[in-house]
Amino acid sequence: MAASALDAGASGWGELVRVRKLFKHFPVEGSGDVVRAVDGVTFEIYRGETLGLVGESGCGKSTVGRCLLRLIEPTAGQVQFENVNVHALGASQLRALRRQMQIIFQDPYASLNPRLTVRDIVGEPLKIHRLGNKVERIARVAELLRKVGLDPDYMKRYPHEFSGGQRQRIGIARALALNPKLIVADEPVSALDVSVQAQVVNLLQDLQAEMKLTYLFISHGLAVVEHISTRVAVMYLGRIVEVAHAPELYARPLHPYTQALLSAIPVPDPTRKRERIILSGDVPTPINPPSGCRFRTRCPAAIEECARVDPDLREVAPGHTVACIRVKGWAEAQTAA
């Protein structure tokens, strides 16, 4: 699936989403400080691909997804969806755009209203956007339940009557109700058992192929991201530090933080041992991040200049960008040779 999405992006389907210098700062009550949850993020999402967004808990991944959908307003920056500035739209224009952009939430227990039946939960987007009459909406709900692997007879039940994996399938059906082009999957399998995770990931891939969907897949599960993603963006303390095609990133990580993350992936073979990179210290506070490179206080390769230079993402190999002054680019290497 990842390979087909990669081919689609490379064949000129073009950008679906463009994010430029996105900031989201949350004020700290009772002080003049702000939490720099997202601090100058730039990336693109191409039609038909899955962009994996990974990083430690608290690095700003979910905030990026919510700003992209305008569920929360950014402090600064721009999000374009099909060349339309999402954050410049009025209420009626935004309402129309929401049919193209949907979200799958992390917790299938908290994201479904316990007082509504499955029919009402999945059919609510259709009702809000005034699509079809009651009979047509019920038929659409039945179709969506079949699409996600659930029996249409389940539509009369309530969320508490389902397992975690089934609840997440209901959440996926709700996200698909309006035939969106983009789905932000915010850690959609992290609350599920491992065996159920595989089923849900495979379902998402099948739906992507069938419905020509584009995903922003947010997760801290690196093995899951490798399986489903076309490209992967790595976040640390509100910034993206590396972006590459998934096979390239997992085979040749260049940023020291990415290398440390990937070294922590368990190897499913007791006879093999992976050399683990143990980072020193704790993640700095996003209220007062370090000067220069934000990773320098934990980086085993840091030098004095890292405290003075705040590195931007730069292309070090075709399709591979890194925010690190110590990584030599392919153009630099060719010039030196």
Side-chain angles (χ1 to χ4, degrees), residues 118-119 138 141-143 145-146 150-156:
V118 170
R119 181 180 68 189
I138 291 174
V141 171
E143 177 192 351
L145 291 179
R146 288 191 199 95
L150 295 175
D151 191 319
D153 289 340
Y154 290 173
M155 71 171 68
K156 298 176 184 177

Side-chain angles (χ1 to χ4, degrees), residues 232-251:
V232 179
V234 181
M235 277 194 77
Y236 180 80
L237 206 62
R239 294 275 182 89
I240 290 180
V241 297
E242 186 165 6
V243 183
H245 295 300
E248 166 76 6
L249 186 88
Y250 281 80

Side-chain angles (χ1 to χ4, degrees), residues 16 65-66 68-69 71 81 94-105 121-122 124-126 128-129 171-186 213-216 218:
L16 182 67
R66 282 165 168 72
L68 193 153
L69 297 176
L71 295 178
F81 180 86
L94 181 61
R95 184 187 183 94
L97 183 66
R98 289 206 188 282
R99 292 177 60 174
Q100 308 297 327
M101 308 163 67
Q102 292 293 309
I103 185 169
I104 301 168
F105 293 98
I121 289 170
V122 178
E124 191 172 25
L126 302 170
I128 289 172
H129 289 270
I172 293 170
R174 178 177 58 186
L176 296 174
L178 299 173
N179 284 320
K181 295 179 181 177
L182 173 72
I183 290 182
V184 174
D186 186 8
L213 296 169
T214 302
Y215 293 142
L216 174 62
I218 299 168

